[in-house]
Amino acid sequence: MNDLYIYLLKSSAALALFYGVYHFFLQDEKFYKGIRFYLSSSLLMAFILPLIKMNFEVAGSTNHSNIVLLLNAINLSSKANESASLLENISTTQLITGFYAFISFILILRSVVRICKTQKIIKNNPKDEFEGQELIKVNEDTPNFSFLGKIAINNQNFNTESFKNIIAHEKVHVEQKHWIDLLLVELTSIILWFNPFVWLFERAIKQTHELLADEGVIAQGCDIGQYQASILNQIMGIEVMGLANNFNCSITKKRMIMMTKTNTSKNRMLRLLFIIPAIAIALTLNLKCTSENEALNEKTIIKPGTQDNSITDRKVFMAVEDMPQFPGGNEALQKWISENVKYPAEAQKNNLEGRVYIGFVVNENGVVDGTKILKGASPSLDAEALRVVSAMPKWTPGMQDGKNVSVSFTIPINFALK
């Protein structure tokens, strides 16, 4: 579940980054098709980029021979009752997840209601046709809109001077399939509803759609002044649903300004290339920088029979055909360490936490020896982790070529104050 939260946070950060590029470099430009592509692709990239895993290894001082077979991490709490702590963590996680799912469900329900409401309007109202385009004649309380290839026109607008302008405007929405962008931003708002930049994206996309439609109408030879008057006559109305394009969009002032603005030069279209550094920065959120010391965080895949060269006084393997087994298996090992570790009082007093890596050897008799700190957190935590691992009971020894052999391990122990 933590991975899901991290993914959503990374997606949110990428979305904020992409919106920043739009806000500072693109929103006042007139290459609307390029801006539309940028906004829509940004929504998609916000979900795709966090899935790309990147590793960057930095050379460190630790010798590779210190990296041995890594056992599962063991998480320890300073609370006496570990089971109660576990239940508390589960309860908190479930509460957060439940709240997130509840809000998402409400937004899904809202979208379904909007779609059903719009489909009902399209189905229950009379049809007409104009220049090969099917029109839905709606009552006075419903504004003009287009939805999935359908155009709804208010009865009051039929046979008026602005009628052709309204049809031309809505046909641009239909022909350019603006509903795809609206569906994408609707889905994004359901998933990332907690991110305010999602709602800014929705406004930006709707504004770009209206500017594209305005540009299409004016390109057909419509007088700008007459067209602006048509828009002003339509500003009083209510929105049918978020997945529909409305002629009387609320972003009227911006549209008026952009209609009379000089076309953007081709050189300024290069501003779209700001998406490249934006993607690069977004990818750094996935960058995992590890040194050879930190490589202990990863499980090492080793072929059976490989020896641990860090131990020179005897023959010790890193992996064998039959690996040593703690009595009862890995789960029993984690339980035994959890029950026997005592969170150091000094560490609690100084609010010390961290992960300690302990290296040890299970010799040919199953006895644990050669314990050592491979990567420490603090002296008190290191000492306690070393004490517990050294006190482990006998294991079933490992075997190579039918003989008992010594095998080295590394076990990470997480100390956390809760």
Side-chain angles (χ1 to χ4, degrees), residues 85-102:
S85 176
L86 179 61
L87 290 174
E88 179 182 330
N89 290 336
I90 293 175
S91 178
T92 302
T93 302
Q94 289 178 338
L95 181 63
I96 295 173
T97 304
F99 180 72
Y100 169 81
F102 174 75

Side-chain angles (χ1 to χ4, degrees), residues 128-142:
D128 205 334
E129 187 175 314
F130 179 78
E131 297 181 352
Q133 174 66 50
E134 183 182 21
L135 304 178
I136 313 297
K137 301 175 70 174
V138 297
N139 58 41
E140 292 79 2
D141 296 331
T142 305

Side-chain angles (χ1 to χ4, degrees), residues 314-360:
R314 54 180 164 160
K315 190 174 183 180
V316 177
F317 291 85
M318 299 172 70
V320 292
E321 294 170 349
D322 295 316
M323 293 297 293
Q325 292 292 323
F326 185 85
N330 287 335
E331 290 186 5
L333 169 62
Q334 295 194 18
K335 182 180 179 182
W336 186 91
I337 293 181
S338 297
E339 291 176 347
N340 286 274
V341 166
K342 297 179 180 179
Y343 208 107
E346 179 185 349
Q348 295 187 50
K349 180 180 179 181
N350 296 316
N351 294 320
L352 297 178
E353 298 179 315
R355 173 177 285 198
V356 180
Y357 289 88
I358 302 294
F360 64 96

Side-chain angles (χ1 to χ4, degrees), residues 2 50 101 110 112 114 128 162 192 241 267 291 332-333 339 353 366 377:
N2 287 338
R110 183 192 67 165
V112 171
R114 284 175 166 179
D128 205 334
S162 60
L192 299 177
M241 60 164 297
N267 289 336
S291 67
L333 169 62
E339 291 176 347
E353 298 179 315

Side-chain angles (χ1 to χ4, degrees), residues 226-286:
Q226 181 186 17
Y227 182 61
Q228 289 177 333
S230 300
I231 294 176
L232 292 174
N233 288 335
Q234 300 296 319
I235 61 173
M236 299 301 293
I238 56 173
E239 183 182 17
V240 180
M241 60 164 297
L243 289 174
N245 290 107
N246 295 84
F247 180 78
N248 49 315
C249 182
S250 61
I251 317 165
T252 305
K253 182 179 178 181
K254 178 77 172 181
R255 293 168 63 186
M256 297 295 184
I257 294 172
M258 298 304 287
M259 280 183 212
T260 56
K261 187 174 181 179
T262 306
N263 288 336
T264 300
S265 66
K266 291 184 178 180
N267 289 336
R268 292 182 69 84
M269 292 183 69
L270 294 176
R271 290 187 167 210
L272 286 171
L273 296 179
F274 278 111
I275 194 174
I276 296 176
I279 291 173
I281 295 173
L283 285 174
T284 60
L285 298 174
N286 302 333

Side-chain angles (χ1 to χ4, degrees), residues 117-125 136 138 142 145 240:
K117 179 181 177 182
T118 305
Q119 293 284 28
K120 183 178 179 181
I121 290 173
I122 293 173
K123 181 179 179 180
N124 295 340
N125 283 281
I136 313 297
V138 297
T142 305
F145 69 91
V240 180

Side-chain angles (χ1 to χ4, degrees), residues 179-238:
W179 64 268
I180 296 176
D181 304 347
L182 295 178
L183 178 61
L184 181 59
V185 76
E186 189 82 1
L187 293 173
T188 304
S189 67
I190 290 172
I191 298 172
L192 299 177
W193 53 263
F194 54 86
N195 184 356
F197 289 97
V198 170
W199 310 103
L200 293 175
F201 254 97
E202 181 178 20
R203 178 180 174 85
I205 286 176
K206 287 185 176 182
Q207 173 179 278
T208 303
H209 287 173
E210 296 308 314
L211 294 173
L212 278 166
D214 294 340
E215 183 181 59
V217 174
I218 294 172
Q220 296 176 24
C222 177
D223 179 74
I224 294 180
Q226 181 186 17
Y227 182 61
Q228 289 177 333
S230 300
I231 294 176
L232 292 174
N233 288 335
Q234 300 296 319
I235 61 173
M236 299 301 293
I238 56 173

